[in-house]
Amino acid sequence: MTEFYPGIPRIAFEGKDTDNPLAFRYYDPDALVAGKPMRDHLRFAMSYWHTMVAEGTDMFGSGTLKKKYGSADAMESARNKAQAAFELMDKLGIEFYCFHDRDIAPEGETLAESNARLDEISDLLLSLQKQYGKKVLWGTANLFSNPRYAHGAGTAPDVDVFAFAAAQIKKALEMTVKLGGQGYVFWGGREGYETLLNTNMGLELDNLARLMRMVVEYGRSIGFTGDFYVEPKPKEPTKHQYDFDAATVIGFLRHYGLDKDFRLNVEANHATLAGHTFQHELRLARESGFFGSIDANQGDLLLGWDTDQFPTNLYDIVGCMTEVLKAGGFTRGGLNFDAKARRASNTQEDIFLGYIAGMDAFALGLVLADRILQDGRMDRFVEERYRSWQGDLGRRIRNGEATLAELERHALAMGDVAVGSGRQEFLESLQNRLMFG
Ligand code: XUL
Ligand code: CO
């Protein structure tokens, strides 16, 4: 059998003192953290599009790492690509993958041809999954690359485009079910607008919800019992995306009655593009009952676009893993590396080094987040800060029993209130001590 990544061994855990770049320093899949193996906490997934497809193009330059997998024929290349994907996951010890329909099989001349290609490649993927013991974390449809979606897909002004998008999602969902995926993602690639001058916002939002409702109904009818996710992003490729951030999406889902079937797939780089931290988006998702899955990457705060870098920033990762632990872990979701090596990191080895960097950073982040939670001082501080809500008055307000007039009487009787310190600097220093000893 052809080896697509010759010279790359299976990556093993060697501990933090190893000098071997092709080894894990922190990710020891079987090591127990809070009573559970690391691999079950982290549920790492490979993104098919970045890892198997994207060649490192940018607005100014062509690909720097070709990914033809030994054939100029699109379908043969797709078959080889599938083999390569499983070799890569096997070597990295990654259990899951995520895909768009067009990542796994190239689009044909007609929808029928594209669908036949998906049927063929999904047969191959299914047998490779069995052979290697791998699973799909989630599937999705690419509704943004083809020029037909230039004005949007579910939010297109043209009803024929809407129908095309619906048909494409139907097939992508069928493929997800066939491959045993427990998640289906809606990322609104072009569901937004460039200018309000040509946009009927009300109709577009209603139509997007209509499409999602049809997808849920169809999914449940073909036995999809998993989670649907929306992946918020504020902009790029459109100027304004409707799924702006977690708060906007949660409001949308509740407004249209989709909240029972949908959760969020929170991406770090999308959070910062929306002016939030990664942890903010995850906290809101968790507190609102929409915690689902995560696209693990990081952006560059000095750039205004989605750089999709492999995540290594420990403060952000500790914040993320704190939310995951507090949510009680993933149920059907996981950590999908929606990340790519930089354009100048142009070797196959760089792809592996990117994954190793990300997986090690998340393993370490998991250990540190658990340490902070076990220590308990941070949580106790927050609990203490809200102590008064446990008293009589606090309880009456929480139970909806207090009235404005009663609160006025209370305030009039008090004179003034002396408030305590938020102790932010102390907490930041404590966090450093807990993380770095
Ligand atoms: C784009 C992005 C997508 C989604 C899947 O910014 O994050 O790759 O994750 O469509
Ligand atoms: Co993403």
Side-chain angles (χ1 to χ4, degrees), residues 49 100 138 140 144 185 187 231 233 267 270 295 306 338:
W49 52 101
H100 301 82
W138 50 258
T140 188
F144 43 90
V185 163
W187 169 60
E231 183 178 320
K233 186 177 184 181
E267 176 165 327
H270 298 179
D295 269 11
D306 199 9
D338 194 351

Side-chain angles (χ1 to χ4, degrees), residues 47-152:
S47 61
Y48 215 96
W49 52 101
H50 284 311
T51 307
M52 307 315 303
V53 182
E55 297 187 328
T57 56
D58 71 10
M59 305 287 261
F60 299 93
S62 53
T64 55
L65 179 58
K66 296 294 172 208
K67 296 184 178 169
K68 298 286 173 253
Y69 304 98
S71 178
D73 174 75
M75 278 304 279
E76 195 181 335
S77 180
R79 286 189 286 272
N80 293 347
K81 187 185 302 180
Q83 300 280 357
F86 283 80
E87 180 189 327
L88 182 137
M89 284 188 275
D90 187 49
K91 286 183 167 173
L92 280 165
I94 291 181
E95 196 179 341
F96 297 93
Y97 67 101
C98 300
F99 67 95
H100 301 82
D101 47 2
R102 303 301 177 237
D103 303 332
I104 57 173
E107 188 160 8
E109 291 292 316
T110 62
L111 184 61
E113 189 188 0
S114 302
N115 288 351
R117 289 176 166 194
L118 280 168
D119 289 334
E120 183 195 322
I121 299 290
S122 58
D123 283 345
L124 173 62
L125 290 171
L126 200 53
S127 72
L128 288 166
Q129 283 180 204
K130 286 190 187 124
Q131 183 187 332
Y132 285 90
K134 306 292 176 197
K135 297 176 194 147
V136 165
L137 188 69
W138 50 258
T140 188
N142 178 329
L143 303 175
F144 43 90
S145 294
N146 191 297
R148 97 172 53 88
Y149 298 122
H151 303 267

Side-chain angles (χ1 to χ4, degrees), residues 201-216:
M201 186 191 275
L203 180 66
E204 291 198 1
L205 287 168
D206 288 349
N207 284 347
L208 188 57
R210 287 178 182 121
L211 178 63
M212 289 161 79
R213 203 168 294 129
M214 282 188 254
V215 176
V216 170

Side-chain angles (χ1 to χ4, degrees), residues 36 108 140 164 172 208 223 320 358 376 415 437:
K36 201 162 89 173
T140 188
F164 219 104
L208 188 57
C320 167

